Amino acid sequence: MALEGIHHITAITGDAPRNVDFYACLLGLRLVKKTVNFDAPDVYHLYYGDETGTPGSILTFFEFPGAKPGRHGDAMIHTIEWRVASEAALAFWAARLGDANVATERDGGALHFADFEGLRHSLLAVPVDDPPLAAGATDIPPEHALLGFHGVLAYARVPERSAGLLRALGFERGGDTDPHWRVTGAERHAVLEYDPPPSERGRTSAGTIHHIAWSVADDDELRDYRARAMAAGAHATDIIDRQYFHSVYFREPSGILFELASRDIGFAYDEPVESLGEALKLPPQYEPLRDELERRLTPLRNPRTPVAS
Ligand code: ZN
């Protein structure tokens, strides 16, 4: 038993329509679920991913309409690393992002850029054995598509404080001074790297990352990893039903919010794979509020939904 890399990463946006433009239309991810924040149902929770919403490809956003861009600082994940197949893919993305007026920086086998609210991404041309997780956007050649997460970079003042918990969860590193922690499942692996934080305090808001979820098989594994985290000193929540997965949350000792999420339910739970993300989906407790919520939420068209003629 091992964590199967990353399940999903959740960030914050202040502008859901522009968020869909950036992640679905420009980056070519598929909007696989349009729902609401289960803890605050009057705002969106949007999920992007590969063609079927496979764990390892899922980037989600809570929308806080009008939220100002935040700032990355200590105890926050500051960059998302994605895999692409080749250096040619990096050149494709440099051109495509440039055409959309998104500044990029090429650094060897990596291409760095940020979204319109400052959320930072790096595309890495790294040879890996993990199955590729691509969406099928019509205007992106399949050989250049994003292929799922490689890892994340986080700021931590004293990252050594996290070592005990990470080991308890099965993370490994090359040596005692190696800042790269690696978690290796049967099919997928992921890297968590700690960097020294900037002096300015961080602020969680638009363009920053709220939490990272690591992938477990099912409720049995969720219980087992929850117990491991608690034995290593974490204060973990009970198991929470998130409709498309079950979750446990705790802060790791450097302050980053970790979630463990199960992959045995999935996004086809309440709509067919062919039409993922087209309708607003609500958990049963919010169905009675559907009319009101549909009036209050900014209308959002899934780019995959055919326009009625
Ligand atoms: Zn989550």
Side-chain angles (χ1 to χ4, degrees), residues 8 10 45 60 211 213 245 247 249 259:
H8 65 269
T10 292
H45 192 182
T60 96
H211 65 265
F245 42 86
S247 296
Y249 301 82
E259 174 182 352

Side-chain angles (χ1 to χ4, degrees), residues 2-6 169-172 181-185 188-192 214:
L3 294 175
E4 201 62 33
I6 296 167
L169 295 176
F171 285 76
E172 295 173 313
W181 289 89
R182 188 181 165 102
V183 67
T184 307
R188 304 201 68 73
H189 77 276
V191 176
L192 166 64
W214 306 98

Side-chain angles (χ1 to χ4, degrees), residues 14 28-29 34 61 76 95 175 184 211 233 281 290 303:
L29 302 174
K34 186 167 65 172
F61 287 87
M76 293 165 76
T184 307
H211 65 265
K281 305 308 289 187
R290 176 174 286 275

Side-chain angles (χ1 to χ4, degrees), residues 6 79-91 93-94 97 105-113 120-128 132 143-153 180 182 188-193:
I6 296 167
T79 299
I80 298 173
E81 295 178 323
W82 300 83
R83 295 172 184 149
V84 294
S86 66
E87 304 246 337
L90 297 180
W93 284 105
L97 291 163
E105 186 193 324
R106 179 75 186 262
D107 170 18
L111 184 74
H112 309 294
F113 61 95
R120 292 183 221 152
H121 299 276
S122 296
L123 308 185
L124 306 184
V126 283
V128 292
E143 66 272 25
H144 296 332
L146 304 193
L147 302 178
F149 298 128
H150 183 69
V152 291
L153 278 60
H180 303 77
R182 188 181 165 102
R188 304 201 68 73
H189 77 276
V191 176
L192 166 64
E193 178 183 333

Side-chain angles (χ1 to χ4, degrees), residues 2-3 152 154 156 158-173 178-184 190-194 212 214 225 228-234 250-258 260:
L3 294 175
V152 291
V158 190
E160 205 47 37
R161 289 190 302 205
S162 300
L165 176 72
L166 291 174
R167 276 198 204 91
L169 295 176
F171 285 76
E172 295 173 313
R173 60 178 167 178
D178 185 356
H180 303 77
W181 289 89
R182 188 181 165 102
V183 67
T184 307
V191 176
L192 166 64
E193 178 183 333
Y194 291 101
I212 183 166
W214 306 98
Y225 275 99
R228 292 195 205 189
M230 305 252 294
F250 51 89
R251 264 182 214 283
E252 56 89 41
S254 290
I256 295 154
L257 184 58
F258 272 15
L260 304 170

